[in-house]
Amino acid sequence: MIYLDNSATTVPSEEVLEAFVEANRKYYANPASIHLAGKNADNLLERSRKQILSLLEAPEGEVIFTSGGTEANNLAIIGLAYANRAKGSHIITTRIEHPSVLNAMIYLEQMGFEIDYLTCDKQGLISSLELKEKIRKNTILVSIMHVNNEIGTVQPIAEFAKIIKDNSRAVFHTDAVQSYGRLPISLAGIGPDAITVSAHKINGLKGSGLLALRKGLVIKAVSFGGGQENGHRSGTVSVPNAAVFAKAMRLISLEDKTTSNTHWRNLLIDFMKNFNDVLILAETSGAPHILSIAFNKIKGEIAVNFFQENGVIVSTSSACSSKSGRASHVIEEIDIAERFKQGVIRISFGQNNTEEDIFEFKKVFNKFMKLLGRGKTNDME
Ligand SMILES: Cc1ncc(COP(=O)(O)O)c(C=O)c1O
């Protein structure tokens, strides 16, 4: 089976799995306990935190471990909004964020905050001009994702950070769940003040995420209990999870796949251009590891099932929206022709893919198009 659905989740690496079992055997004690076993677990937890901060180029910053990217995004949006409420109540985000950001924004709207949603163009790009225009004196938070999970658009985060810093006192959060380990992103220099990362997108484990904050950033807790994680996220911290999260981040940072992924993406784009009935999404703005396309009047689901029967795993535009049967909010926002909206599939590469997988994908694709009696099928590589 060829797995090309790495934006939904990645296969955990063997090193991560082994380290997880080992850490559970040795460091099962509660890191908040005062006995020696607790202290040893706490030492590993703090070492992991330090490693993560060093990878994010913010040795003096803060890492809050959470149950995943979703919780980290909720904490960022709601926690930063409430922490800054005395300064204002205006927040800026985009229409193409992950539901864990958008639904937190809807909650804040109900709580009296005012949210402005930036639009995007057909490539999925947010305009820096529109961002600048929307910033107000009372803007306290801006949240813009780095790489879109459905179509792969990469936003110019550094440019946005500069605009935000030059024109406001707002905190800038970025959801880097789809970009960490694939594209450079950190808390260094002019950049975001807060970053969300999820372990299962980088060959780590599901149920493990983090919110990293620039030094001195104030945030309010959104869940309550024993006051762990500096009072910002209560609940017994899983030391094994934290340790292998740091490991997954370290491992992915050592292996630069940008060149090979860009090459494969370009191969596939050239190949797709052989077919009249296929629309390439975010062609010029997409991340190297994500390629989304849309079929004319064919449901994405049908394509996904055909590929699966032929040994290749791809997905519809996002795992979250695939079950609802409706075009996702991102596909609606980039405004493609109606006849393509139901036909989106996403191909996403990971650490384990090889060029052979891309050739195999092309073969199955050709077979699919032949079966449908569509387009040219002269490329039978
Ligand atoms: C851009 C983005 N943000 C947040 C999340 C949520 O992360 P998690 O699955 O760890 O809750 C996802 C998951 O697909 C995502 O793609």
Side-chain angles (χ1 to χ4, degrees):
M1 187 194 67
I2 292 167
Y3 186 74
L4 292 171
D5 192 16
N6 291 279
S7 283
T9 196
T10 55
V11 58
S13 76
E14 283 306 315
E15 284 109 311
V16 161
L17 292 175
E18 278 165 25
F20 186 67
V21 173
E22 175 87 356
N24 271 292
R25 284 211 177 99
K26 280 198 189 153
Y27 300 98
Y28 54 84
N30 191 324
S33 297
I34 56 163
H35 48 65
L36 193 59
K39 281 202 176 115
N40 287 339
D42 191 48
N43 283 342
L44 178 59
L45 176 63
E46 293 314 317
R47 273 205 313 278
S48 309
R49 209 187 298 279
K50 268 203 179 121
Q51 276 171 4
I52 291 170
L53 283 168
S54 144
L55 288 163
L56 292 171
E57 301 181 277
E60 310 221 319
E62 181 178 354
V63 162
I64 306 167
F65 290 109
T66 66
S67 64
T70 296
E71 190 194 330
N73 276 342
N74 272 234
L75 175 60
I77 305 305
I78 300 170
L80 291 170
Y82 276 111
N84 289 285
R85 197 167 202 176
K87 294 185 204 147
S89 58
H90 180 242
I91 297 171
I92 300 174
T93 190
T94 81
R95 290 189 195 279
I96 57 166
E97 299 297 311
H98 187 267
S100 54
V101 168
L102 287 177
N103 288 329
M105 293 292 178
I106 290 171
Y107 166 77
L108 286 180
E109 251 170 340
Q110 289 161 357
M111 294 297 119
F113 288 87
E114 200 184 340
I115 321 287
D116 260 321
Y117 295 89
L118 304 176
T119 54
C120 67
D121 65 14
K122 284 191 184 295
Q123 289 291 324
L125 283 167
I126 305 298
S127 136
S128 37
L129 210 69
E130 193 189 357
L131 169 62
K132 196 171 170 187
E133 277 168 13
K134 289 268 159 65
I135 291 175
R136 300 190 203 150
K137 269 206 181 107
N138 67 342
T139 306
I140 51 167
L141 173 65
V142 179
S143 182
I144 302 178
M145 73 198 318
H146 190 192
V147 168
N148 184 268
N149 51 308
E150 298 194 28
I151 58 172
T153 304
V154 186
Q155 305 296 342
I157 290 300
E159 187 186 324
F160 292 165
K162 184 156 182 358
I163 292 171
I164 296 161
K165 300 257 142 61
D166 287 350
N167 295 281
S168 74
R169 289 191 302 156
V171 174
F172 181 27
H173 164 256
T174 193
D175 172 352
V177 166
Q178 292 291 344
S179 69
Y180 184 81
R182 317 297 193 125
L183 292 172
I185 184 80
S186 80
L187 289 167
I190 295 185
D193 303 303
I195 292 180
T196 296
V197 187
S198 172
H200 75 100
K201 309 287 186 180
I202 54 167
N203 307 100
L205 300 178
K206 286 159 202 57
S208 180
L210 64 83
L211 179 66
L213 304 175
R214 211 177 262 272
K215 183 187 172 195
L217 206 69
V218 184
I219 189 163
K220 277 219 189 290
V222 301
S223 61
F224 306 96
Q228 290 89 341
E229 295 294 88
N230 212 10
H232 294 143
R233 200 270 187 180
S234 287
T236 303
V237 182
S238 168
V239 175
N241 267 54
V244 300
F245 200 162
K247 191 180 234 348
M249 287 175 73
R250 204 168 57 247
L251 289 174
I252 205 161
S253 73
L254 298 175
E255 230 185 300
D256 186 0
K257 293 270 182 178
T258 313
T259 314
S260 60
N261 286 0
T262 305
H263 173 59
W264 298 344
R265 188 173 185 274
N266 288 339
L267 277 181
L268 287 184
I269 288 176
D270 287 347
F271 169 72
M272 299 295 177
K273 286 187 173 165
N274 287 315
F275 302 95
N276 307 322
D277 265 357
V278 174
L279 186 69
I280 298 162
L281 307 181
E283 179 180 345
T284 57
S285 63
H289 61 296
I290 301 176
L291 179 65
S292 285
I293 58 164
F295 295 101
N296 182 10
K297 291 189 185 151
I298 296 286
K299 284 212 160 130
E301 258 172 84
I302 291 175
V304 168
N305 288 337
F306 180 86
F307 278 95
Q308 178 176 276
E309 279 158 21
N310 286 274
V312 178
I313 305 292
V314 294
S315 70
T316 46
S317 60
S318 82
C320 306
S321 67
S322 58
K323 288 192 180 145
S324 73
R326 277 178 280 116
S328 80
H329 64 293
V330 178
I331 301 306
E332 290 292 354
E333 182 59 26
I334 58 170
D335 193 26
I336 59 176
E338 208 56 45
R339 63 185 191 281
F340 285 107
K341 281 187 183 168
Q342 300 286 329
V344 179
I345 65 163
R346 179 185 64 190
I347 304 131
S348 47
F349 316 133
Q351 298 303 98
N352 297 350
N353 290 124
T354 63
E355 195 148 323
E356 279 304 305
D357 297 346
I358 308 304
F359 291 139
E360 196 51 40
F361 172 85
K362 284 165 72 176
K363 272 191 202 155
V364 178
F365 195 92
N366 267 325
K367 199 168 155 188
F368 185 53
M369 294 312 265
K370 244 188 187 165
L371 184 79
L372 298 173
R374 294 221 180 158
K376 295 183 210 157
T377 51
N378 51 1
D379 186 340
M380 292 302 287
E381 264 178 275

